[in-house]
Amino acid sequence: MMLTESQQQDLEHRLIELRRSLHRIPELAYQELRTSDLVCQRLEALGIPFICGLAKTGVVGVITKGSGGPCIALRADMDALPITEHNRFEHVSRHAGCMHACGHDGHMAMLLGGAELISRQLDFNGTVCLVFQPAEEGHAGARAMLDDGLLERFPIQAIAGLHNWPSLPAHSFATRPGALMASSNKFEIHLEGRGGHAAQPHIATNPITAAAQLCLGLQALVASEVNACEGAVLTVTELQAGNGFNVIPDRVAIRGTVRAFDSLAVERLAGAIERLSEGIGRAFGCQATVDFRRSYPALINHSFMVGLALEAARQVFAPQQVSALAEPTMAAEDFAFYSERIPSVFAFIGSARHPDEPPLHSAHYDFNDAILYSGAAWFASFAATCFAALSATNDLGGHANVSGQR
């Protein structure tokens, strides 16, 4: 992309205005109506055809040049979080109790900037699908897009995504082959005892005592069930019981999460949670029931796609700021549903302005506008790099499961 300095500055200014406009109107999963309308308006202004309404509020822009050729996709997420924003700047959220606290406003702006560069600056033979996806934050919008026929409507051969990362310095880029982000799984345990008066515990069965033992046991499961060389996390996050200082309740609820890169580790932990819950429940005279739910799979990067992402990054970022060994994280991303179906790559773009940068999902977080152009340029550079590679290899695995190619 050969932009003059003034052209680059003009694009940067417009992306900042766009990002802040999106920040003002955060919307929760599958409610991104104003957000998708604004995305559609920008695509229309660029002369890029699109379809809307995929997975309720999703938008797919389509840039086609030449005749035939490969089809690739670039993805940005659109939804916000149910957080009350504590910032005081002019573009603060106007929707009470809702906030772009994960940078999806910036992701959309970067992809729309990339769309402008691709449509106006790149020559290629093929199609770029611009996937604006709803409901990433725990509601599996990627799976909904796939279920609604994304791959049937578009013959996508490869897909890439980018996420801002406040733990990395601004203007840096990092990814890695294989496991980058963990699977996300939820568990809910109910312990049923027999309520009574707190002064007469001998004629009641107190499920809180069982729950206390169970919480301690749960926190030790990873060490006993998972190979120390593998990554896994089990965290108890919620305990609900009782409503009076002198009342023994009938029931206790324990909730938490399991994160791992390997599906077998998840299976082992799921089985161990059930065994431990039932055993401790019996030991304390309680009935235990366990509900274990698998939410997002692990995000596995396709090794060949990682090479293309890094090649594109070296055209945008300083060489010393490009890392091929990103640190894996126990955070989860529903981009993983795409990686199960087609060759894919997900990467982090550093966004930290200073060492004490507010983290993702903080009520004080705000996207770093200084990285918008770099993200847009990477999307465009990746498209060019990917088309060059696909024209040589023709196919990276199509729509088949690519687990053997990771």
Side-chain angles (χ1 to χ4, degrees), residues 41-262:
Q41 290 170 19
R42 294 304 174 115
L43 291 172
E44 188 171 22
L46 291 170
I48 298 173
F50 57 87
I51 66 167
C52 55
L54 202 67
K56 297 184 180 179
T57 52
V59 178
V60 180
V62 183
I63 304 172
T64 299
K65 295 188 181 183
S67 57
C71 178
I72 68 169
L74 306 173
R75 175 268 204 171
D77 34 18
M78 302 197 302
D79 58 323
L81 286 155
I83 295 174
T84 297
E85 185 163 6
H86 291 172
N87 292 314
R88 293 292 181 267
F89 39 62
E90 186 275 334
H91 59 277
V92 70
S93 169
R94 294 178 180 174
H95 294 172
C98 190
M99 175 189 175
H100 271 301
C102 199
H104 297 184
D105 49 348
H107 300 165
M108 288 183 281
M110 289 191 296
L111 184 52
L112 285 165
E116 179 171 337
L117 294 172
I118 292 167
S119 63
R120 296 180 177 177
Q121 300 291 327
L122 290 187
D123 290 323
F124 56 88
N125 186 51
T127 298
V128 178
C129 293
L130 309 164
V131 178
F132 294 89
Q133 176 213 299
E136 187 278 326
E137 295 289 355
H139 294 273
R143 184 172 60 195
M145 294 284 280
L146 292 167
D147 290 346
D148 209 7
L150 177 67
L151 299 185
E152 288 70 36
R153 299 190 193 198
F154 306 99
I156 297 169
Q157 295 170 262
I159 187 169
L162 193 62
H163 202 297
N164 80 101
W165 213 241
S167 60
L168 294 174
H171 305 294
S172 62
F173 180 94
T175 187
R176 68 180 297 123
L180 179 66
M181 303 184 77
S183 66
S184 174
N185 311 276
K186 304 172 185 176
F187 63 85
E188 183 168 345
I189 304 165
H190 290 276
L191 292 168
E192 193 80 34
R194 186 172 68 251
H197 198 293
Q200 298 175 309
H202 58 288
I203 59 175
T205 301
N206 192 344
I208 292 179
T209 307
Q213 294 294 323
L214 181 53
C215 286
L216 293 174
L218 288 169
Q219 296 295 166
L221 280 185
V222 170
S224 62
E225 296 291 332
V226 180
N227 188 319
C229 296
E230 299 177 21
V233 168
L234 187 159
T235 305
V236 175
T237 57
E238 190 175 352
L239 182 65
Q240 294 183 352
N243 57 7
F245 78 97
N246 60 349
V247 179
I248 295 172
D250 291 310
R251 190 177 180 88
V252 171
I254 301 169
R255 298 181 181 90
T257 185
V258 169
R259 307 294 177 102
F261 299 111
D262 182 72

Side-chain angles (χ1 to χ4, degrees), residues 371-401:
I371 68 170
L372 285 169
Y373 178 77
S374 295
W378 179 82
F379 274 126
S381 179
F382 176 82
T385 303
C386 198
F387 279 125
L390 280 171
S391 65
T393 63
N394 192 39
D395 185 39
L396 289 174
H399 294 176
N401 188 293

